[in-house]
Amino acid sequence: MNNKKTNSKGNFFSRKQFELLIVCMTTGFIIGYSYNQAKDNRESGAIDSQLLQEDSYREELIEQQERNKELTEEASALQEKIRKYEKQFVSSEKDYQQLVEQAEDLRLLLGDLNAEGKGLRITLQDGDYDPKSVNPNDYIVHESHIFKLLNELKISGAQAIAINGQRIMANSYIRCNGPVITIDGKQHPAPFVIEAVGDSATLSASLNLSGGVVDQLVNDNIVVSLEENQKLTMPNVKIES
């Protein structure tokens, strides 16, 4: 009787232990499987994340390359504009310099500035009177002679002109009173010394043209003498007045 109870009790615990073992094994398998599955998911996620990161870097690199290309083209366009501006500036600077020189020449002609430099000195004297001549005025320097000379000098590029030391302005008034001429109210006797600042070779060549001003003056019995490359100094009109 006692032996049967003991065996029955021993079999009961063995079954319970067996069931517990099955449960533990199953639980262990599930845990192991879950762990491996989670590990695989993590590795797969890491790979996917790396691939996505590489794609992002690749796209960013492409965008940067495109941007660099745009910036290079923009820089080239700006450099071309700078070259055009530089050419325009040089051209404008030349035009500006020409305008300054023209303005300077006008101020010299108007007598607003002192005039200094090399030029031409022309002396006009009355001719020797011939007693056989009917009209003694044929041997006198007149305002018409002065005007011819002044006009030719201006056309030939004279920068400043003076007669007997008096600056000639654009609106100067000259008239003849017998043996003297009056310039802007001031009288000057002969001989008349006309000085012109400018290229003396050009001025002299213009006056000495065949049939030109000098020939005309000589034909009118006027004594003409020219001195080239003279260092001339002329005060401005304001200082003189």
Side-chain angles (χ1 to χ4, degrees), residues 179-196:
V180 300
I181 62 172
T182 302
I183 304 174
D184 299 331
K186 295 182 180 181
Q187 291 187 344
H188 297 276
F192 305 108
V193 180
I194 296 94
E195 296 176 324

Side-chain angles (χ1 to χ4, degrees), residues 200-227:
S200 58
T202 301
L203 298 175
S204 179
S206 178
L207 296 177
N208 285 304
L209 289 172
S210 178
V213 174
V214 171
D215 286 349
Q216 295 174 26
L217 294 174
V218 171
N219 290 335
D220 288 344
N221 303 311
I222 304 301
V223 180
V224 183
S225 63
L226 282 75
E227 301 173 77

Side-chain angles (χ1 to χ4, degrees), residues 9-167:
K9 188 176 180 181
N11 291 338
F12 174 78
F13 284 113
S14 295
R15 187 187 306 168
K16 295 290 281 186
Q17 291 175 353
F18 178 75
E19 290 176 355
L20 180 61
L21 177 62
I22 295 299
V23 171
C24 290
M25 290 176 63
T26 302
T27 303
F29 174 78
I30 293 171
I31 293 173
Y33 178 80
S34 299
Y35 174 79
N36 290 331
Q37 188 68 27
K39 182 179 179 182
D40 291 340
N41 290 337
R42 285 196 301 271
E43 291 177 353
S44 177
I47 293 173
D48 292 340
S49 177
Q50 184 176 358
L51 293 175
L52 290 174
Q53 190 70 25
E54 290 177 357
D55 290 341
S56 176
Y57 289 154
R58 190 178 297 106
E59 292 177 359
E60 185 176 353
L61 177 61
I62 294 173
E63 290 178 359
Q64 290 297 329
Q65 289 175 342
E66 291 293 331
R67 181 56 179 162
N68 289 339
K69 182 180 179 181
E70 292 176 0
L71 291 174
T72 301
E73 293 175 352
E74 186 177 352
S76 299
L78 290 175
Q79 289 176 355
E80 183 63 26
K81 285 185 178 180
I82 290 173
R83 284 192 288 268
K84 290 181 179 179
Y85 290 151
E86 288 175 345
K87 291 180 181 179
Q88 292 176 358
F89 175 76
V90 172
S91 177
S92 300
E93 189 175 17
K94 290 180 180 178
D95 294 340
Y96 174 76
Q97 185 64 28
Q98 290 177 355
L99 291 174
V100 170
E101 292 175 357
Q102 291 176 4
E104 194 80 0
D105 291 340
L106 289 174
R107 291 190 181 98
L108 286 171
L109 288 174
L110 291 172
D112 292 339
L113 301 176
N114 294 336
E116 295 182 359
K118 291 185 177 181
L120 187 67
R121 181 181 288 119
I122 310 107
T123 302
L124 304 182
Q125 300 185 63
D126 296 338
D128 294 333
Y129 174 65
D130 185 355
K132 298 179 181 180
S133 176
V134 177
N135 189 357
N137 287 326
D138 292 340
Y139 299 87
I140 296 176
V141 179
H142 297 285
E143 68 266 23
S144 59
H145 301 133
I146 302 293
F147 284 135
K148 286 181 181 179
L149 187 59
L150 294 180
N151 289 336
E152 190 65 29
L153 290 173
K154 291 177 181 178
I155 292 172
S156 302
Q159 296 176 329
I161 301 174
I163 299 178
N164 288 4
Q166 181 177 347
R167 288 286 294 273

